Amino acid sequence: MYKKPSAPRGIKQAYEQLLSIKMRGVVPPWLHAMRSVPPADSLVREPSMFATHGKTKFEIDNPQSSPPITSGKGFLKRTLPKGCVSLHHKKIYMRVKCNRPPRIVFPEDKLRKEFYKNHPFEASRPRTMIETGRHSTQKWDTLSDGTSQVTGESVIRYQLYLMQTKGLSKQDAYTQATDEFYAIRAQEDMEAKVAQEEAHQYGARPLKKPYSAYQLFKEDKMIRSSAEAFRARRAVDRMRDGLSEKTYTSAE
């Protein structure tokens, strides 16, 4: 539901536009009044002009994925005792509701939720954010075109392509997409290990710790040595107290 635009406010804006382009040369008296006291919005609520339920291409091609809405929140269904008649209005809420935009749902949302539920660490994997300056021309008939990084979003797009173009079910498309994804990840891990071994053979060494990490290491070392010195002093104090007590008892 949305509120109809205010007709008086539209008249005011239209006349001001005419004045700005000099198609009207005289400012009428009513325009001063509307500028000082702007007209209020209309309280008439009409069906939403943004309602797209059942109209998108994905819902038209798959009518079973978006069943029609047969019940709403504005109606109350209850059973009354036999012989009783309800005198209340069917609508529960009679107050004017605030305007809220409709919820935008894409077919990839469910696929994305399922993938990241089964692969939670993929969401924290570093991604390449370099832009090539042109739009992506990948048609997603394969998981990787060899030029871009393979991420969880690539698996989701590829799974959707298999469902819409190849006619596979959701589970079969997910199985095929993840199998290819695991193979690519294994190849990337193997290439990283080989590159690390080659760099080590050519004399590369790990980078030294930064200065902040070195200072934290020294601080931890001093804390440990202070704790050991404190424990040794406590042991000496206990031994001294024991010897003094033994000497006192023997003197008695």
Side-chain angles (χ1 to χ4, degrees):
M1 302 293 286
Y2 77 103
K3 289 184 179 181
K4 295 180 65 175
S6 177
R9 184 173 295 181
I11 295 173
K12 170 181 170 292
Q13 294 176 355
Y15 202 90
E16 286 182 345
Q17 289 179 359
L18 294 176
L19 290 173
S20 64
I21 61 177
K22 298 182 180 180
M23 291 188 66
R24 295 289 187 275
V26 181
V27 179
W30 57 266
L31 187 59
H32 296 290
M34 293 186 72
R35 286 175 177 174
S36 60
V37 185
D41 292 333
S42 175
L43 297 178
V44 179
R45 302 182 66 84
E46 298 292 340
S48 176
M49 66 175 67
F50 305 105
T52 59
H53 184 75
K55 298 180 182 179
T56 58
K57 184 178 182 302
F58 177 76
E59 294 173 328
I60 293 174
D61 297 339
N62 304 275
Q64 297 180 357
S65 62
S66 59
I69 300 175
T70 57
S71 62
K73 294 183 178 180
F75 296 93
L76 175 64
K77 294 182 179 180
R78 59 181 180 180
T79 57
L80 298 176
K82 187 176 181 180
C84 297
V85 180
S86 177
L87 299 177
H88 296 282
H89 199 273
K90 291 183 178 179
K91 291 185 179 179
I92 301 176
Y93 305 107
M94 300 300 294
R95 64 176 181 269
V96 178
K97 297 182 180 179
C98 60
N99 290 330
R100 292 182 180 178
R103 185 179 181 183
I104 301 175
V105 180
F106 294 96
E108 299 94 334
D109 293 343
K110 293 183 178 179
L111 307 181
R112 185 177 294 106
K113 183 178 181 181
E114 181 180 0
F115 176 80
Y116 284 108
K117 180 181 179 182
N118 298 332
H119 306 82
F121 293 104
E122 282 297 323
S124 58
R125 180 181 286 268
R127 296 181 59 179
T128 302
M129 304 300 293
I130 299 176
E131 297 182 358
T132 58
R134 58 182 177 84
H135 297 287
S136 177
T137 58
Q138 188 174 357
K139 299 180 180 179
W140 299 110
D141 51 351
T142 57
L143 183 58
S144 175
D145 58 353
T147 59
S148 59
Q149 182 185 18
V150 178
T151 61
E153 294 297 324
S154 305
V155 180
I156 295 164
R157 295 289 185 87
Y158 184 51
Q159 181 184 359
L160 184 64
Y161 171 82
L162 295 176
M163 293 171 58
Q164 293 182 347
T165 307
K166 302 296 183 180
L168 299 180
S169 63
K170 180 180 177 181
Q171 187 62 35
D172 294 341
Y174 178 80
T175 302
Q176 181 175 344
T178 50
D179 288 345
E180 297 184 16
F181 176 69
Y182 298 153
I184 292 175
R185 278 284 182 263
Q187 182 180 358
E188 291 177 352
D189 294 342
M190 183 61 66
E191 291 176 355
K193 290 180 180 179
V194 171
Q196 184 178 3
E197 292 178 359
E198 290 179 353
H200 184 73
Q201 292 297 329
Y202 279 105
R205 295 293 181 268
L207 297 176
K208 294 183 179 180
K209 293 183 179 180
Y211 186 74
S212 58
Y214 178 70
Q215 292 296 326
L216 291 174
F217 172 75
K218 288 180 63 177
E219 181 181 359
D220 184 68
K221 185 177 180 181
M222 291 300 298
I223 291 173
R224 291 178 182 274
S225 61
S226 300
E228 292 178 358
F230 181 76
R231 285 194 293 268
R233 184 178 298 177
R234 289 291 301 273
V236 171
D237 293 341
R238 291 196 201 96
M239 188 181 299
R240 186 180 300 168
D241 294 341
L243 290 175
S244 61
E245 183 178 357
K246 187 181 296 184
T247 304
Y248 178 76
T249 53
S250 61
E252 289 182 350

